[in-house]
Amino acid sequence: MTFMAADEEHGETAARRPATFDPEAARRHMGVDADGFRRVFDCIWDEVSRRRSLLDAAYASGDLDGVALQAHTIKSSAASIGAEALSRAAAAVETAARQQTAEALALAIGRFNAARETLSRLAGIC
């Protein structure tokens, strides 16, 4: 299974648009081959999915500290696999949860879910 970088999907160059998903840069940074990166990606994706469920449960129960904690962990995990858009979206969720801004948090969670869906499509996980 191969990954598709965001600029490949949209026919745009990285210079015109901030990186959404750069698996090759992440793979090179880790110093692993494509198979090794896939294994790391799969492990981290499972963790992100688990943390997303915990984030959703915390949000539903009004536990903003729990939302911030899960978003913080997702932010770091996503960055480690080159998923910059997801990392930025998780950072926005974390910030809104810490500031206890209900409207901003709802908007940030919507953007986070959209970024996760985009990454899922780019990674061929759908």
Side-chain angles (χ1 to χ4, degrees):
M1 184 178 296
T2 60
F3 295 103
M4 183 186 331
D7 58 337
E8 292 174 23
E9 180 191 38
H10 299 287
E12 298 177 5
T13 64
R16 292 192 337 215
R17 179 178 132 132
T20 298
F21 180 45
D22 192 349
E24 282 305 306
R27 183 192 63 73
R28 285 190 307 274
H29 179 74
M30 289 178 191
V32 297
D33 63 14
D35 288 337
F37 181 76
R38 185 70 204 191
R39 287 190 301 274
V40 169
F41 180 91
D42 288 346
C43 181
I44 289 175
W45 187 255
D46 287 346
E47 181 67 13
V48 165
S49 296
R50 188 175 75 79
R51 295 285 180 163
R52 179 191 176 199
S53 294
L54 294 170
L55 186 152
D56 289 345
Y59 181 63
S61 70
D63 176 8
L64 299 183
D65 289 336
V67 169
L69 172 65
Q70 300 311 322
H72 178 81
T73 303
I74 292 168
K75 173 182 71 176
S76 302
S77 297
S80 73
I81 56 172
E84 293 303 320
L86 183 61
S87 181
R88 287 189 304 269
V93 170
E94 179 184 12
T95 298
R98 291 200 190 286
Q99 294 174 347
Q100 299 184 0
T101 313
E103 189 173 311
L105 180 55
L107 181 62
I109 287 177
R111 289 181 178 156
F112 167 79
N113 288 331
R116 187 179 178 283
E117 288 176 22
T118 296
L119 179 59
S120 180
R121 188 177 60 255
L122 291 171
I125 298 171
C126 299

